[in-house]
Amino acid sequence: MALEKTWRWFGRNDTVTFADLKQMGVEGVVTSLHHIPAGEAWPVEEIRKVQAGIEHHGMRWSVVESLPVSEGIKIGSADRPQLIENYILSLKNLGACGIDTVCYNFMPVLDWARTDLHFKNNNGAESMLFDYPTFAAFDIYILRREGAAGDYPENIRQKARDIAGSLTEDEKEELAHNIIIVTQAFIHGVIGEDSDNYKDRFLTYLKTYDAIGKEQLRENLAFFLKEILPVAEQAGVNLCIHPDDPPFPLLGLPRIAGTADDFRWIMEQSDSPAHGITFCTGSLSACPDNDLVAMATEFASRIQFVHLRNTAYLADNSFYESGHLTGSVDMFSIIRILLEEQRRRRKSGRKDWRMPFRPDHGLRILDDYSRTANPGYPLIGRLKGMAEIDGLQTGIERFL
């Protein structure tokens, strides 16, 4: 029995249909109620509408990605009790519908960051790039965040000055718009696609974290977990936290889910079987100090959901998405560890033995250029990745 093959689907506006997914061999769908604003409770009737469409095509709603954690929960604002109450109601309703896995993150303001959404690799395929000096140029010279320059070493500041000086006003606007809106709006980002004065509004959100460092953000996560885990366990829903992307500080914001030490602390907050990890090889591999094989081994029993993709390192803390099998990640070893864990779970009678994975992001290739898709989510490139990973795990299974 291999890891469950799943696919991220973005709701009614997704150009990929359930019928397409069934033809592709997808077993489970990963999706969210994208039309419900973050912080509001998910009604049973809205959950069942999506679930019925999935099941009509012979698949299951495998993972909710994501039930967004509102900024008010992360900063501990006055409306936190109501936001947590709404989150709890959503978990109860999901459990009542038989949906058993929820992926969430605790990243402040910005869920993920890339500076180039159309980066060309050596064979001409298109992926996404995070260039640290370019991000510094955005932060210091375009966003003009107060004190931003002090967050970067001198060599990066110099490169950022040169980059900012070489950009036209239109290029500066495109860079800011991509970072703040294009990569965020389709996943319950804090600022919508039609927002005016979006850079000023973004700065306002950043300022809410002026007094919140790593320890305070950890305390707020611990409070959130204490409130929701007993409910999740009773509802039969596993909660799996997604790593920070990239797993190092940006924009003066704290990061608490990017290293092995971070995940040790997070897992120590509760031994509830509902408390788990989304093991995202793409996010974690963006930091060269992370040993993903060691992390997969250490946290195997707590992994509830898997994102598989690869990265390639560049100078200056930069990286680009290099597909699924090729790059810095030892995908063979990771998948072998996961398959061995799956066997242990089945042998011990654990209910969560399916261990769903999805091909995370993908190279833009072939007919992807004639299709509309969210950044990082081309159809053909992800299908290629799913086929590669499925072939690899099939071979490993035969070997085992």
Side-chain angles (χ1 to χ4, degrees):
M1 184 70 183
L3 307 177
E4 182 182 38
K5 295 190 290 293
T6 70
W7 187 273
R8 193 170 191 184
W9 181 76
F10 291 101
R12 62 187 70 165
N13 295 324
D14 200 318
T15 59
V16 182
T17 67
F18 291 144
D20 295 334
L21 298 185
K22 186 63 176 175
Q23 291 177 37
M24 290 155 47
V26 169
E27 298 164 332
V29 175
V30 176
T31 193
S32 178
L33 297 186
H34 297 276
H35 60 289
I36 297 182
E40 293 187 11
W42 288 11
V44 167
E45 56 269 24
E46 293 298 315
I47 296 169
R48 291 205 186 276
K49 284 179 186 177
V50 176
Q51 187 179 34
I54 295 170
E55 293 180 351
H56 176 73
H57 288 83
M59 300 175 290
R60 76 181 190 110
W61 189 344
S62 181
V63 181
V64 171
E65 185 179 357
S66 64
L67 181 59
V69 180
S70 304
E71 290 298 310
I73 293 175
K74 296 172 189 174
I75 65 174
S77 60
D79 60 347
R80 178 169 65 174
Q82 182 60 56
L83 292 170
I84 290 180
E85 184 177 327
N86 291 348
Y87 206 95
I88 285 173
L89 179 57
S90 297
L91 290 175
K92 288 180 177 179
N93 291 344
L94 287 165
C97 294
I99 299 169
D100 61 9
T101 305
V102 170
C103 170
Y104 70 100
N105 75 71
F106 222 74
M107 286 179 264
V109 184
L110 201 65
D111 268 17
W112 57 294
R114 301 292 185 271
T115 56
D116 186 351
L117 307 183
H118 304 284
F119 177 74
K120 295 284 189 180
N121 66 18
N122 291 335
N123 63 9
E126 190 176 279
S127 68
M128 296 190 293
L129 165 74
F130 177 83
D131 184 76
Y132 194 52
T134 299
F135 192 88
F138 154 75
D139 191 10
I140 300 169
Y141 297 104
I142 301 172
L143 188 62
R144 299 181 185 275
R145 177 175 64 89
E146 184 178 353
D151 288 342
Y152 302 93
E154 174 56 34
N155 67 313
I156 298 298
R157 291 199 299 267
Q158 179 60 55
K159 291 179 180 180
R161 281 193 293 270
D162 294 342
I163 291 168
S166 70
L167 296 176
T168 66
E169 291 305 311
D170 285 346
E171 288 169 337
K172 291 177 182 178
E173 183 67 19
E174 181 182 15
L175 178 62
H177 191 260
N178 283 344
I179 291 172
I180 297 173
I181 294 180
V182 175
T183 60
Q184 307 295 310
F186 68 97
I187 48 171
H188 293 101
V190 296
I191 299 176
E193 294 175 336
D194 56 351
S195 298
D196 295 327
N197 303 316
Y198 70 94
K199 289 192 282 291
D200 290 339
R201 292 186 60 201
F202 188 66
L203 283 168
T204 299
Y205 275 106
L206 294 180
K207 285 184 177 296
T208 63
Y209 285 86
D210 281 352
I212 297 178
K214 182 170 184 174
E215 290 308 312
Q216 184 61 57
L217 189 61
R218 276 184 164 184
E219 288 183 21
N220 293 346
L221 173 59
F223 181 88
F224 173 66
L225 293 172
K226 183 179 178 181
E227 295 292 309
I228 66 168
L229 281 174
V231 178
E233 188 172 343
Q234 186 174 16
V237 177
N238 294 322
L239 289 158
C240 39
I241 188 168
H242 188 283
D244 299 333
D245 185 6
F248 46 80
L250 296 175
L251 300 167
L253 297 169
R255 294 294 216 194
I256 61 171
T259 68
D261 284 342
D262 288 339
F263 282 98
R264 288 185 194 109
W265 182 89
I266 292 169
M267 291 299 101
E268 285 169 359
Q269 300 313 299
S270 174
D271 59 3
S272 168
H275 182 38
I277 294 171
T278 297
F279 194 76
C280 179
T281 62
S283 298
L284 292 170
S285 65
C287 177
D289 292 337
N290 282 338
D291 183 338
L292 268 65
V293 173
M295 292 177 75
T297 302
E298 179 176 354
F299 300 112
S301 66
R302 308 299 290 270
I303 295 172
Q304 302 286 7
F305 183 33
V306 185
H307 290 180
L308 297 175
R309 64 176 168 86
N310 231 306
T311 55
Y313 303 127
L314 300 171
D316 298 323
N317 221 26
S318 303
F319 60 89
Y320 68 91
E321 299 184 1
S322 55
H324 293 84
L325 297 188
T326 303
S328 62
V329 178
D330 180 356
M331 200 63 73
F332 173 90
S333 296
I334 296 294
I335 292 176
R336 177 170 179 167
I337 291 164
L338 296 173
L339 288 171
E340 289 173 338
E341 171 62 20
Q342 184 183 54
R343 290 186 171 212
R344 280 191 291 271
R345 293 185 186 189
R346 294 194 72 187
K347 187 175 181 179
S348 65
R350 278 179 59 165
K351 294 180 180 179
D352 58 346
W353 56 265
R354 286 189 181 91
M355 297 188 71
F357 88 88
R358 69 171 177 84
D360 189 26
H361 297 183
L363 302 177
R364 194 179 183 197
I365 57 174
L366 305 174
D367 287 353
D368 287 328
Y369 290 95
S370 63
R371 300 179 64 96
T372 300
N374 291 319
Y377 288 92
L379 169 60
I380 306 301
R382 281 190 291 161
L383 180 56
K384 176 177 181 287
M386 187 171 72
E388 290 172 337
I389 293 167
D390 194 31
L392 180 57
Q393 71 166 346
T394 299
I396 295 172
E397 277 215 304
R398 290 291 298 271
F399 175 78
L400 292 177

